[in-house]
Amino acid sequence: MTSHPTTGPSPDFSSERGEKAAPERADVLGGAETSLGHGSFDDHRPPAQELLDDCVHCGFCLPTCPTYALWGEEMDSPRGRIYLMEMAEKGEIPLDGSFTTHIDRCLGCMACVTACPSGVQYDRLLEATRPQIERNVTRSRSDRWFREAIFTLFPYKRRLRAASLVGALYQKLRPKSTEKLLAKVPDRFGRLVAMESLLPPVSVRQAFRRMPERTPAVGERRGRVGLLTGCVQDVFFHPVNEATARVLAAEGWDVIAPREQACCGALGLHAGREAEAIERAKKLIAVFERAQVDTIATNVAGCGSSMKEYGELLADDPAWAERASAFAAKVRDISEVVDETLADARARRHPI
Ligand code: SF4
Ligand code: SF4
């Protein structure tokens, strides 16, 4: 934790329930305010004050926020989280405690971004805030283990394929009474129970299938599109990748899916693991440069949003800034690729 001065203990907003207006700053602070550089944030890319100032605290974003809908708590809404960032920026609250809890709970779904009439770039604020927590807050041991387990498994396809064997076996042998048993699991293992509930149906055969490195265009060739196959996507949702390649090929693209590609770094970036995300971004940029593609398509929104931000992620690195921006400019969601070529559609359309 940074040693920046604060005006007192972390305010505990956890008792707030129901729809409420943003609390007045003086209510929370007992009237005390300080303004000291970046406050509780360190100097490496803290949330920009001008981005924080864009929020007029109108609350239009609140109904779109799933965590606010779930808990009805101001500090689990976009407005509340921006308010917390402002307070941390002024050094009024530390980054540990309530601040970390409420920022951790944000799903990063960005539903609030499109809902905001003031154009608040909450995505950029969140991406500036999470690395601050990673650098400056010491998490509990269980938290550290849980996060390490996630980052040791999910970005690695081979490990995921091995895990798919266990997952498939578990799903096959899972007794019907499991749900009742899981309901009795103590709260401290709640995250494992939640992960169990999110496990998609596992097909070992699909998990071990590989995309062809080149799927040729059907008919007249429009260009070369690189396909990000992803980590979890390629192992647990492989048919989606195959369908994506079929659609792109039918639209006249040579689809290039380099075998050497690895995780795009989105998982790390969205969790504030900036250094890890930067290394993964560099590797992926180099892979698709070698593939010499015109466009880079993804069918995973979270990966796409990260890859589109490589320019900002590597902006401070003179050796990579230009390459990262050039890469980001080529990134498209599959729906964008299809939409951009709609006027010259090649594949036959059928009624939905
Ligand atoms: S983020 Fe936008 S919609 Fe939400 S409170 Fe701020 S200005 Fe209003
Ligand atoms: S990104 Fe976070 S704050 Fe915004 S709507 Fe999603 S959960 Fe709520």
Side-chain angles (χ1 to χ4, degrees):
M1 180 65 210
T2 47
S3 57
H4 301 283
T6 64
T7 55
S10 170
D12 180 7
F13 302 113
S14 59
S15 61
E16 293 184 15
R17 295 283 166 205
E19 191 166 324
K20 294 176 184 173
E24 290 299 321
R25 189 182 305 279
D27 291 346
V28 178
L29 302 172
E33 285 195 27
T34 56
S35 180
L36 297 164
H38 295 300
S40 299
F41 295 124
D42 65 32
D43 291 338
H44 180 64
R45 296 182 175 183
Q49 187 61 55
E50 59 269 26
L51 296 184
L52 292 168
D53 290 344
D54 284 342
C55 178
V56 295
H57 306 291
C58 63
F60 283 170
C61 55
L62 267 60
T64 67
C65 175
T67 56
Y68 182 73
L70 187 63
W71 291 308
E73 187 169 323
E74 175 67 26
M75 292 304 148
D76 285 316
S77 76
R79 179 175 65 184
R81 292 184 176 114
I82 290 170
Y83 190 75
L84 288 173
M85 292 173 198
E86 285 177 2
M87 294 174 78
E89 166 66 24
K90 292 182 188 306
E92 296 167 352
I93 54 171
L95 299 190
D96 54 2
S98 280
F99 183 88
T100 294
T101 300
H102 295 297
I103 298 296
D104 272 0
R105 286 178 182 171
C106 174
L107 303 176
C109 66
M110 303 308 159
C112 51
V113 175
T114 45
C116 175
S118 302
V120 171
Q121 297 177 61
Y122 179 83
D123 47 344
R124 290 182 63 193
L125 289 171
L126 186 66
E127 271 171 22
T129 300
R130 285 198 156 144
Q132 293 278 344
I133 292 177
E134 281 309 292
R135 283 195 297 275
N136 299 315
V137 173
T138 304
R139 293 180 177 276
S140 67
R141 188 183 299 176
S142 64
D143 219 6
R144 289 202 302 274
W145 283 0
F146 184 75
R147 291 168 77 87
E148 275 314 309
I150 285 176
F151 289 102
T152 304
L153 174 64
F154 285 92
Y156 300 94
K157 280 191 215 184
R158 279 191 198 160
R159 295 176 195 177
L160 282 174
R161 288 193 175 109
S164 76
L165 296 170
V166 181
L169 192 66
Y170 167 75
Q171 286 182 339
K172 197 160 189 170
L173 302 178
R174 187 180 190 266
K176 286 205 168 65
S177 56
T178 303
E179 258 156 50
K180 280 188 193 157
L181 288 172
L182 289 174
K184 291 180 187 160
V185 169
D187 279 354
R188 65 178 181 279
F189 298 117
R191 288 191 288 199
L192 291 177
V193 176
M195 284 185 77
E196 197 272 350
S197 72
L198 291 172
L199 186 67
V202 181
S203 159
V204 173
R205 196 187 311 162
Q206 283 175 10
F208 281 81
R209 280 223 297 262
R210 309 287 166 105
M211 290 292 294
E213 283 209 272
R214 179 173 174 271
T215 305
V218 176
E220 190 188 342
R221 200 174 79 118
R222 191 193 292 275
R224 278 164 73 88
V225 62
L227 177 63
L228 179 87
T229 50
C231 322
V232 173
Q233 182 78 341
D234 206 32
V235 175
F236 292 108
F237 303 96
H238 190 81
V240 179
N241 278 348
E242 291 176 333
T244 304
R246 280 200 303 276
V247 168
L248 290 169
E251 281 298 328
W253 294 97
D254 269 348
V255 183
I256 311 299
R259 281 271 159 82
E260 53 181 335
Q261 64 176 297
C263 172
C264 66
L267 195 63
L269 186 65
H270 293 151
R273 296 163 72 107
E274 193 181 41
E276 184 181 308
I278 284 174
E279 283 316 303
R280 292 193 180 283
K282 287 178 181 175
K283 284 184 183 152
L284 199 69
I285 290 167
V287 165
F288 280 105
E289 282 176 347
R290 284 195 289 278
Q292 298 184 331
V293 292
D294 308 305
T295 299
I296 299 156
T298 171
N299 51 27
V300 185
C303 301
S305 73
S306 292
M307 295 196 298
K308 286 178 181 180
E309 286 165 15
Y310 278 3
E312 287 95 61
L313 185 66
L314 292 163
D316 298 339
D317 187 333
W320 284 89
E322 209 172 305
R323 293 169 70 179
S325 295
F327 176 97
K330 289 183 181 179
V331 175
R332 299 283 185 284
D333 187 82
I334 167 70
S335 57
E336 291 176 302
V337 179
V338 173
D339 180 60
E340 285 174 8
T341 52
L342 215 50
D344 180 27
R346 306 273 171 85
R348 212 171 132 214
R349 265 50 178 176
H350 301 279
I352 296 175

